[in-house]
Amino acid sequence: MPAALNQHLGHDGSDCPDSYYVRTGGDRLHSTLHSQGAWQPGEQHMAPASGLVLAEVERRLPTDKVVSRVAFDILGVIHSGEFTVDVEVTRPGRTIELVEARMRHGDRTSVHARVWRLQSGATGPIEGHEWAGLPAPEDMREVSFQERWGGGFIASLEARQDEHSRPGHARSWIRAPFPLVAGEPDPPTAEFVKHVDVANGMAVREDPRTTFFPNIDLTIHLTRQPRPGWVGFETRVAFGPTGLGETASVLSDEAGPIGTAAQSLTVRTGEGTKQ
């Protein structure tokens, strides 16, 4: 594969499309610099990658069912450049179905998703939850996650955070300005999901220059279809004594809490932590 196909569009200083990806034909796409990850320059951030994988499910398999749970396993570095997304129904059903999708770079899969979609029903009269709501975005201070994190995706975000946020616990809102794919509107749930993986960088317990704590998965549970706009997080981070950790978040849109997300972390300290 030519070297240019392994690079983000815009990596060389050329004009970068105002999107996270560009479709090059059918199920093939190419990352832009706006999708760049925070740990290494030649990788994609899991946030837009997970949104893109779910978007391909929603575009190729339209349904009146709604996403209840989507679980992503990160099987290796999500490399920049060209890739393919494969989608298949593995458990069809009239009221419940399971769809699987894979982001593939040649013969290597970097992200594997399992998506449960359930029939919608009228349960408004018994709606309820025990999650605390967030202050509105305009009631939180503007912040820049670039003070701690690099990469094109983090640079693209608009962010707000509660003044009482601290290492290990934070309340935040973020908003991404670009569509996932140039010239294509984001499907509703994928538009929301493309923000969620950022949770692992919102309430960091330790400086990422000395402590390596990437997530190896992302699991999202939803109680309704998200509304477009700001995505809210109440996030807690825990590190254990043997290299394991978890980032757990209650997720909101501007109408209120909507579900939860969890990320399993591999935690390493000292020199050479990224190898």
Side-chain angles (χ1 to χ4, degrees):
M1 183 180 293
L5 299 183
N6 291 320
Q7 302 289 343
H8 294 297
L9 297 175
H11 80 282
D12 57 0
S14 59
D15 289 342
C16 183
D18 288 336
S19 64
Y20 296 106
Y21 300 97
V22 170
R23 193 175 299 279
T24 58
D27 58 1
R28 296 198 62 81
L29 298 110
H30 199 127
S31 66
T32 77
L33 192 62
H34 295 309
S35 72
Q36 184 184 49
W39 294 106
Q40 302 179 69
E43 67 179 1
Q44 298 177 42
H45 198 291
M46 178 57 180
S50 59
L52 186 281
V53 170
L54 182 59
E56 291 299 283
V57 170
E58 295 192 89
R59 287 189 178 109
R60 296 187 213 173
L61 299 173
T63 181
D64 57 0
K65 302 181 185 72
V66 292
V67 174
S68 169
R69 191 210 74 177
V70 54
F72 300 94
D73 288 309
I74 305 169
L75 304 182
V77 174
I78 310 171
H79 289 293
S80 58
E82 282 204 340
F83 60 91
T84 301
V85 178
D86 304 318
V87 174
E88 64 176 330
V89 178
T90 54
R91 192 278 191 192
R94 184 175 59 85
T95 61
I96 298 172
E97 69 177 7
L98 176 64
V99 180
E100 295 193 48
R102 294 169 177 82
M103 178 182 281
R104 179 168 49 82
H105 311 258
D107 294 332
R108 190 185 64 81
T109 297
S110 61
V111 178
H112 176 211
R114 290 167 58 87
V115 185
W116 283 103
R117 303 198 293 188
L118 312 182
Q119 183 178 22
S120 181
T123 55
I126 59 170
E127 179 183 6
H129 62 79
E130 300 301 322
W131 299 311
L134 293 173
E138 59 267 24
D139 294 331
M140 292 189 184
R141 59 193 172 98
E142 293 185 24
V143 295
S144 173
F145 293 128
Q146 289 180 272
E147 295 174 1
R148 180 160 284 179
W149 297 106
F153 183 69
I154 296 300
S156 78
L157 298 177
E158 184 179 357
R160 303 282 190 274
Q161 196 159 72
D162 185 82
E163 63 181 2
H164 301 296
S165 295
R166 62 184 186 274
H169 180 229
R171 297 194 298 175
S172 316
W173 291 95
I174 62 171
R175 183 164 60 180
F178 304 128
L180 285 163
V181 181
E184 300 179 13
D186 290 348
T189 305
E191 195 278 336
F192 183 89
V193 166
K194 77 182 182 188
H195 299 77
V196 174
D197 189 72
V198 177
N200 192 37
M202 290 179 170
V204 298
R205 300 192 67 88
E206 299 291 339
D207 190 327
R209 292 171 296 184
T210 58
T211 303
F212 189 54
F213 48 93
N215 54 302
I216 52 99
D217 67 357
L218 170 64
T219 301
I220 301 168
H221 288 88
L222 299 174
T223 58
R224 59 176 169 82
Q225 183 170 286
R227 299 184 183 183
W230 289 95
V231 176
F233 303 76
E234 180 160 10
T235 300
R236 290 176 169 85
V237 179
F239 291 167
T242 58
L244 307 182
E246 183 190 25
T247 295
S249 302
V250 175
L251 304 174
S252 296
D253 59 17
E254 291 182 81
I258 188 176
T260 62
Q263 296 157 289
S264 182
L265 314 181
T266 174
V267 184
R268 288 170 257 168
T269 61
E271 295 297 324
T273 55
K274 294 188 180 182
Q275 277 70 44

